[in-house]
């Protein structure tokens, strides 16, 4: 009951940090950490499809409100990633680091690949494929590095809030 609203506040704060501080910092090798994407992905792995979908919609809406891309693009992508990650059948209890790193590669590639395709269809101009790869690869690396830390954080939040739910039921 309390888990999603609390995590929604965390996602909004992450979107704010990603949209302000994240773009002020020098990029690492051309890429930047996608904090909201990482947090939505691990929340989906911890809590399942409904919470992953809702977390993706909240995080995406927060990014849409702070970005210059067409409104709804981040919401659509992160909602699909939040639901799709949990549908993959993996959970943090069974997957370990291999699941986290593999999920980071797949979700980051899907997120940016679909975003570029949609924006190109809408008439936005982009540099060539090599520039895309030169930004995508370091971004995948940064997101994969952040996944274990984000997973530990999401588990801790889930456990803390689950304790509140047990107290409420008693």
């Amino acid at each position: 009951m309390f888990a999603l609203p609390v995590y929604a506040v965390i996602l909004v704060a992450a979107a704010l940090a990603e949209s302000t501080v994240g773009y002020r910092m020098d990029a690492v090798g051309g890429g930047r950490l996608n904090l909201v994407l990482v947090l939505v992905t691990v929340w989906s792995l911890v809590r399942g499809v409904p919470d992953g979908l809702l977390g993706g919609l909240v995080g995406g809406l927060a990014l849409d409100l702070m970005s210059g891309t067409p409104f709804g693009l981040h919401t659509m992508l992160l909602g699909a990633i939040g639901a799709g990650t949990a549908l993959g059948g993996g959970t943090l209890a069974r997957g370990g680091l291999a699941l986290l790193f593999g999920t980071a590669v797949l979700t980051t590639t899907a997120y940016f690949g679909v975003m570029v395709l949609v924006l190109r269809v809408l008439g936005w101009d982009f540099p060539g494929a090599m520039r895309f790869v030169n930004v995508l690869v370091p971004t995948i690396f940064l997101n994969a590095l952040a996944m274990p830390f984000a997973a530990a954080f999401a588990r801790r939040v889930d456990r803390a809030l689950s304790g509140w739910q047990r107290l409420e039921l008693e």
Side-chain angles (χ1 to χ4, degrees):
M1 176 179 247
F2 290 113
L4 189 60
V6 170
Y7 208 71
V9 170
I10 293 167
L11 287 169
V12 169
L16 185 61
E18 186 177 318
S19 296
T20 56
V21 177
Y23 285 103
R24 298 276 183 237
M25 297 171 57
D26 286 335
V28 177
R32 288 188 168 83
L33 174 66
N34 300 111
L35 190 55
V36 176
L37 174 63
V38 169
L39 289 172
V40 165
T41 302
V42 296
W43 191 245
S44 177
L45 290 170
V46 169
R47 299 284 296 190
V49 175
D51 282 352
L53 172 64
L54 291 173
L57 294 175
V58 168
L61 180 61
L63 283 176
D64 276 331
L65 290 171
M66 296 177 211
S67 78
T69 58
F71 190 79
L73 181 59
H74 292 286
T75 304
M76 176 196 67
L77 289 172
L78 287 173
I81 286 172
T85 301
L87 284 175
T91 64
L92 286 180
R94 291 186 281 143
L97 285 176
L99 174 71
L100 291 175
F101 293 146
T103 303
V105 171
L106 291 174
T107 57
T108 305
T109 304
Y111 182 73
F112 282 100
V114 172
M115 184 174 293
V116 165
L117 288 174
V118 169
L119 291 175
R120 291 212 27 115
V121 166
L122 294 175
W124 288 47
D125 192 27
F126 283 95
M130 276 313 293
R131 176 70 180 139
F132 176 73
V133 171
N134 288 338
V135 171
L136 182 63
V137 170
T139 300
I140 290 171
F141 179 73
L142 291 171
N143 288 352
L145 283 178
M147 287 290 277
F149 301 104
F153 174 74
R155 280 189 205 139
R156 183 168 288 224
V157 169
D158 183 49
R159 268 189 254 130
L161 296 174
S162 293
W164 286 8
Q165 289 175 348
R166 282 193 293 274
L167 288 174
E168 191 176 90
L169 294 174
E170 293 174 357

